[in-house]
Amino acid sequence: VKSLHVELADRSYPIRIGTGLLAETRHYAEVEGRRLKLVTDDNVAPLYLEHVLKALNLKEEDVLILPAGEDQKSWGNAERVLDWMLASRLNRDGVLVALGGGVIGDMTGFAAAVYQRGIDFIQIPTTLLAQVDSSVGGKTGINHPRGKNMIGAFHQPRLVLADITTLRTLPQRELLAGIAEIIKYGMLADSDFFKWLEQRLDDLLILDTDALTKAIYRSCELKARIVAQDERESLAGGAGPRALLNLGHTFGHAIETYTGYTQWLHGEAVATGLCMAADLSARLGWMTAKDAERCVKLVARAGLPTKPPAGMKPDEFLELMGHDKKVAAGKLRLVLMRGIGLAVVSGDFDRAALQATLEHFCS
Ligand SMILES: NC(=O)c1ccc[n+]([C@@H]2O[C@H](COP(=O)([O-])OP(=O)(O)OC[C@H]3O[C@@H](n4cnc5c(N)ncnc54)[C@H](O)[C@@H]3O)[C@@H](O)[C@H]2O)c1
Ligand SMILES: [Zn+2]
């Protein structure tokens, strides 16, 4: 077991990474003796619920199984979780357990954040994306018909248990979507990690335990460091350290919106966005063309898309990017790179270069 700590004063918590963790009682020491309630989805329940119930000594009435899927990250289901907690008279010293991917983690975390003004919760992420990204950092929330993640709260978990054994049942596309976020960490904050990924990508793709553990550990470490600097993405008017985690995401969100959030997974859209951010950074002369090519090549080798959907036009991109959260006072800000491992947020770049990138990728 490898562990690390997210340092946030009284909101600090451990992340444990390893194989078979979720079935072992000793890994849940932080919530020992507390009353627990668990939320999961109907894909994860048949696979892992039994092990967790045994380890935590829970009964079936302590479990709520929701339907799987992004469209389930809704008010309706958050309300179901809250109703269920109230009906079972859970007190403020109760703890919610999120067992599943980012959808379950975000929604359960949100329910914990608002239940009686906030109770503890723990994360047992079962997708690679959740293990390297959504379970860490305290962003919780649900979708609204008018926008993804539009309702939410910052609420840190008390513990994150990333059991990499669970990744063996994950559909390949979901695995690759998580790899995209891992590549993102290398590109934004750590050129040595990026180099390591170039060397070990094939091991990651075959779920080699050592390679996975190392990649998840380093990803969490990089995210934890950034979150510790800027917990609520509030520094520099939202252009501070935490915004760097959105490398590739402004382009990616445009693709997700264009395709109606149904055809592309988030990580797939981010993968293409990373390529576009690298290309633009090179056009601006901020990183070498060779390094930009390394980024595109790594994404391609992972089997992730490097081009936006056929038919998407530069104008449509610009329009959809204009609706991104990172548009400050009408000015488009992007996360770009000053080299691999050196992401920066900037609204100060040549628009002609952006146009050239869009035309290049939309051809
Ligand atoms: N809070 C944050 O900081 C943050 C960061 C990134 C993403 N997110 C959110 O995370 C969500 C996406 O998370 P996700 O990619 O984990 O999606 P998900 O939770 O929908 O999981 C993907 C699919 O895999 C299934 N699944 C989960 N674990 C499995 C396993 N071990 N074996 C087999 N199937 C399994 C799920 O049932 C689901 O069908 C989005 O809603 C996104 O907004 C949040
Ligand atoms: Zn992302």
Side-chain angles (χ1 to χ4, degrees):
V1 186
K2 294 223 350 159
S3 37
L4 67 123
H5 220 72
V6 184
E7 298 295 344
L8 289 165
D10 62 336
R11 297 174 308 293
S12 299
Y13 53 96
I15 303 172
R16 295 197 185 98
I17 302 156
T19 52
L21 305 186
L22 56 72
E24 292 181 47
T25 308
R26 65 191 167 104
H27 296 306
Y28 298 90
E30 283 73 11
V31 292
E32 202 190 325
R34 308 270 297 269
R35 184 163 174 218
L36 306 174
K37 288 270 172 194
L38 184 148
V39 182
T40 189
D41 76 29
D42 58 5
N43 286 335
V44 176
L47 296 167
Y48 304 108
L49 183 57
E50 204 186 314
H51 299 292
V52 179
L53 290 190
K54 262 193 205 140
L56 290 173
N57 195 18
L58 292 180
K59 301 183 185 57
E60 266 176 40
E61 72 235 34
D62 300 319
V63 177
L64 183 64
I65 301 175
L66 296 172
E70 184 69 39
D71 58 343
Q72 301 293 328
K73 210 173 101 174
S74 61
W75 259 125
N77 278 327
E79 196 174 359
R80 258 180 86 180
V81 177
L82 295 168
D83 277 347
W84 169 71
M85 292 158 81
L86 284 167
S88 63
R89 297 170 188 276
L90 191 70
N91 291 330
R92 293 206 65 232
D93 58 353
V95 180
L96 267 191
V97 180
L99 172 67
V103 166
I104 288 295
D106 278 14
M107 187 160 50
T108 305
F110 177 64
V114 297
Y115 186 74
Q116 298 187 12
R117 299 193 184 82
I119 63 165
D120 287 346
F121 83 114
I122 69 173
Q123 294 263 23
I124 311 176
T126 61
T127 65
L128 184 56
L129 181 125
Q131 295 184 354
V132 298
D133 193 355
S134 63
S135 68
V136 175
K139 282 192 180 176
T140 73
I142 53 174
N143 300 326
H144 184 278
R146 288 181 187 272
K148 265 194 79 181
N149 296 322
M150 282 295 138
I151 316 283
F154 285 96
H155 191 53
Q156 301 291 344
R158 284 286 161 205
L159 164 71
V160 178
L161 270 194
D163 188 335
I164 63 176
T165 315
T166 60
L167 303 179
R168 304 209 165 266
T169 54
L170 197 63
Q172 180 71 3
R173 268 184 82 190
E174 301 286 351
L175 181 85
L176 298 184
I179 301 241
E181 300 282 0
I182 293 176
I183 293 173
K184 177 192 79 174
Y185 290 113
M187 284 173 61
L188 83 91
D190 186 348
S191 60
D192 286 341
F193 183 44
F194 185 89
K195 224 178 281 165
W196 180 89
L197 287 169
E198 289 180 315
Q199 287 156 7
R200 300 292 302 274
L201 179 70
D202 297 338
D203 294 328
L204 279 181
L205 294 175
I206 58 163
L207 302 181
D208 174 83
T209 300
D210 289 339
L212 268 179
T213 307
K214 167 103 200 265
I216 295 167
Y217 185 90
R218 188 63 185 144
S219 298
C220 288
E221 201 171 37
L222 290 166
K223 180 160 184 183
R225 196 175 72 196
I226 289 170
V227 168
Q229 289 165 10
D230 184 12
E231 186 180 0
R232 291 174 170 248
E233 201 167 334
S234 55
L235 295 184
R242 193 156 182 165
L244 298 176
L245 296 170
N246 290 320
L247 180 63
H249 280 59
T250 302
F251 294 109
H253 286 153
I255 293 174
E256 287 184 281
T257 311
Y258 180 81
T259 51
Y261 291 92
T262 51
Q263 294 146 54
W264 287 53
L265 294 178
H266 171 74
E268 293 170 336
V270 167
T272 297
L274 291 173
C275 297
M276 297 178 79
D279 180 89
L280 176 53
S281 303
R283 277 175 207 276
L284 292 165
W286 294 5
M287 84 192 282
T288 64
K290 190 162 158 270
D291 279 349
E293 265 165 42
R294 283 171 68 198
C295 295
V296 177
K297 202 168 150 205
L298 188 59
V299 169
R301 270 181 61 207
L304 285 158
T306 58
K307 287 262 178 193
M312 196 171 171
K313 307 250 169 10
D315 286 357
E316 292 165 326
F317 244 109
L318 272 183
E319 165 77 20
L320 294 169
M321 287 165 73
H323 284 118
D324 190 270
K325 273 187 289 192
K326 282 160 290 301
V327 181
K331 195 174 175 202
L332 178 62
R333 263 191 330 222
L334 289 173
V335 187
L336 296 167
M337 282 168 282
R338 293 269 179 192
I340 292 176
L342 287 172
V344 289
V345 182
S346 177
D348 192 17
F349 55 85
D350 181 5
R351 296 299 135 136
L354 173 60
Q355 188 65 30
T357 291
L358 294 176
E359 274 163 21
H360 174 72
F361 277 81
C362 293
S363 65

